[in-house]
Amino acid sequence: MRKPEILTPQSQEKDIILRVDGLTKMFGAKKPQAREMLRNGRSKEEILKKTGVTIAVDDVSFEVERGKIFSLIGLSGSGKSTVVRCLNLLLKPTAGHIYYEGEDIAAYSPRQLLKYRREHISMVFQSFGLLSHRNVLENVAYGLEARGIDKKTRTEKAMEMITMVNLEGWEHKSTRDLSGGMRQRVGLARALANNPDILLMDEPFSALDPLVRRDMQFEMLSIQEKLNKTIVFITHDIDEAFKLGNTISIMQDGRIIQTDTPEKMAQSPANDYVRDFINSADKSQIYNVRNFMQRPSCLVRQKEGAQVALKQMRANDVSSAYVVNDRMKFMGVITLDAAFRVRAGEITFEEALINDMPSTTADTQISDLIPIASHAKFPIAVLDDKGRLQGIISKAAILTSLT
Amino acid sequence: MTEFPEAFSVNIREPIDNAIDYMVGNWGGFFDAISKGLRAILVQVRWVVDLVPWWLLLLIVFLITLKLTRKPFRAALYTAMLLFVGMIGLWSMMYATLTIIITSVIFALLLGFPLGVLVSFSDRASRLVRPLLDTMQTMPSFVYLIPAVMLLGLGNVPAVVATVIYAMPPIVRMTSHGIRHVDKEVVEAAQSFGSTRSQLLFKVLIPQAMPTIMTGVNQTIMMAISMVVTCSMIGATGLGSEVLMGINRLESGRGFAAGIALVIVAIVIDRLTQGAMKGEDTHAEA
């Protein structure tokens, strides 16, 4: 239930699930003294020296819209991880309020807090935070176990999540046997298993190498589309923030400098710090096709013919297949319709192949593909210099890489 | 100037003597009860140990080593070493020693493990307990024998008490160290999913700290083994008393035979517990 008095006119239009108001977090013993000095406009360095109090977060306010990705970006030490830990009360705010659906979570009783953590909010960690003495399944089921859900139900639910993050077959492996990317899939599945409204992600992909990171970003977007969760995403990577966030807040020295959509922020940065931040992104924004291409789900050899192509398309639930010759040279795409016509004897298999479609190479920059992508009917074939098929890149991958 | 000024002298001997005397005089019933209880437990443990015939113990050691290390040679070696203890006529002495070790280790773990958990949670408890542990570990082990004898008499009972005190620090320390050093994000993760304190402790902290805790268990056992020899001076039976007799009668052979037997017991137990730790590790990784 939302309390009417905390609604601002703005939040009536938007559907706000989480509202942070004047959040301040200090570490150290002499907090009242530090707060007094802060009120008198003393610098953080001076306060630290005099009182030994570190001001990690200083009067931060923002709103998170339901079903959207809010990304909080800042360099290390800017206080972003502290903010996110206040949202589920892993850290207790020194001052300020956090409203979840209009309820002030700092006023929660211990029992209410448990319920909040068990049912409404969950978290994904930078170094995964997995329980190394448990296997994948038991890790994913941990949140359900803490809630006291019976073993059969939680195993079912956990398996569902494991399937969603594409880890089926690994459920009985120890987490120590997994690669970084796979471990974070476990972390993601574990966070989703409780079916929370809000997902807190504290630099979830920073520990992963760049290729895996892009995979995971893509996967997270597709999962978010499917489940429509609200996500608070912490990162120090401006590209990642721009790619994933519907709204972005930039933090510096414990304060939020600007909160905006990525487009508005790029157009009108609040100050030089933000401008520099965004510029640094442009320079590093070198996305190659290689980083986004996938294996075609349906690959048929020319000599296998229409029958096999049909069978494969049916098995993979797609309406087109990529056709190669024995040396993996790309011959063209065959659609479901055309394959049926070949089977009916109306045309030959070779005639059915569409081969006047655009192709690209693995080292092409994604941004160069946009004009091609906009008219492409199929995912674009990625070929090497001998015309062999290396992978395909979908329109969705091209477009999401640029948001 | 090696003379320390007389004026500064403080007498701490008498107060300690008085305190012990007071305890002996006034809390006799209490210590009698402890003594009776411990003696009963010792009898029980001995009864269980005696259930194992010599060949069964050898077989158990062989099979466990084989299972833990998968090395038949090593299993055979440990078995042969134990067999040797029997061959030099010290089998029943070894059982007597094992009885004291097992009883002491059980008590040390029962007291030390919860204490370690407590110390890991509370900084105040930690500040209180740490110097106590340091004292317990550095105090020459003979010193414990005097009050133990005065309060509990001679025999295996004071030996168990002195051994428990001497062997407890490692399990307390390692338990608390292990729990305190569980990865911070793992703890945060457990909390963020709404774990209660006891869920956090039993489902996350203790299992995650288990390798360190097992190291503590191993050290506690080793300390107990070394202490039972010392305890022969207050009448503990077993291999230690053989060593003591060897000293008293100047019989090197007797002393060394018992000493070798003790070394063998220590090696076998150490390797078995370490193997169990590694076995657990590989199991977790598999």
Side-chain angles (χ1 to χ4, degrees), chain A residues 23-69:
Chain A
L23 176 68
T24 301
K25 175 69 191 173
M26 304 178 187
F27 295 102
K30 298 177 183 167
K31 290 191 191 78
Q33 200 184 332
R35 207 180 299 178
E36 186 60 40
M37 288 177 72
L38 193 64
R39 207 172 294 142
N40 294 336
R42 307 296 186 79
S43 76
K44 293 197 176 81
E45 291 75 30
E46 196 183 340
I47 294 172
L48 177 61
K49 213 180 234 175
K50 280 249 171 66
T51 64
V53 171
T54 315
I55 297 164
V57 175
D58 179 10
D59 196 18
V60 157
S61 303
F62 57 87
E63 291 177 334
V64 181
E65 245 184 293
R66 193 185 309 276
K68 295 288 166 62
I69 301 178

Side-chain angles (χ1 to χ4, degrees), chain A residues 151-278:
Chain A
K151 186 157 187 183
K152 188 168 165 285
T153 316
R154 70 181 190 237
T155 305
E156 267 168 33
K157 188 83 194 144
M159 277 311 299
E160 202 179 299
M161 293 303 139
I162 288 172
T163 308
M164 181 152 65
V165 299
N166 298 319
L167 277 181
E168 59 274 66
W170 291 82
E171 59 270 15
H172 296 299
K173 298 274 183 186
S174 160
T175 57
R176 292 180 225 201
D177 294 341
L178 308 186
S179 67
M182 292 169 106
R183 287 183 191 190
Q184 197 55 298
R185 282 166 199 263
V186 178
L188 192 58
R190 179 176 66 175
L192 290 169
N194 274 357
N195 194 20
D197 307 316
I198 303 174
L199 207 53
L200 305 176
M201 303 186 84
D202 182 23
E203 303 218 23
F205 308 141
S206 301
L208 308 178
D209 65 60
L211 281 185
V212 179
R213 189 186 309 171
R214 284 182 191 142
D215 249 16
M216 291 295 291
Q217 289 166 346
F218 192 70
E219 187 132 347
M220 194 200 87
L221 281 177
S222 68
I223 287 173
Q224 206 259 347
E225 204 136 286
K226 220 181 291 174
L227 302 180
N228 205 24
K229 299 290 177 202
T230 307
I231 298 178
V232 177
F233 193 98
I234 309 296
T235 179
H236 63 257
D237 177 356
I238 186 92
D239 297 329
E240 191 168 62
F242 271 44
K243 194 190 304 189
L244 301 178
N246 299 103
T247 309
I248 297 174
S249 277
I250 289 205
M251 278 191 84
Q252 182 194 10
D253 287 342
R255 287 172 172 275
I256 285 184
I257 309 176
Q258 186 174 8
T259 302
D260 248 322
T261 60
E263 296 79 24
K264 278 191 196 151
M265 192 173 280
Q267 277 162 22
S268 48
N271 61 16
D272 288 346
Y273 184 79
V274 178
R275 188 172 298 119
D276 287 349
F277 225 123
I278 292 170

Side-chain angles (χ1 to χ4, degrees), chain A residues 48-114:
Chain A
L48 177 61
K49 213 180 234 175
K50 280 249 171 66
T51 64
V53 171
T54 315
I55 297 164
V57 175
D58 179 10
D59 196 18
V60 157
S61 303
F62 57 87
E63 291 177 334
V64 181
E65 245 184 293
R66 193 185 309 276
K68 295 288 166 62
I69 301 178
F70 176 85
S71 80
L72 192 58
I73 175 166
L75 299 175
S76 65
S78 62
K80 55 193 192 305
S81 284
T82 310
V83 170
V84 79
R85 278 169 174 69
C86 287
L87 299 183
N88 60 359
L89 293 187
L90 283 179
L91 294 174
K92 206 168 159 38
T94 312
H97 299 280
I98 297 163
Y99 299 99
Y100 164 74
E101 304 277 22
E103 291 176 16
D104 188 347
I105 64 167
Y108 275 169
S109 67
R111 181 171 298 179
Q112 282 174 310
L113 176 61
L114 277 190

Side-chain angles (χ1 to χ4, degrees), chain B residues 100 104 145 148 153 155-164 227-228 231-232 234-236:
Chain B
I100 299 176
S104 310
L145 300 182
N156 287 339
V157 171
V160 167
V161 172
T163 308
V164 168
M227 187 65 184
V228 290
C231 284
S232 64
I234 53 169

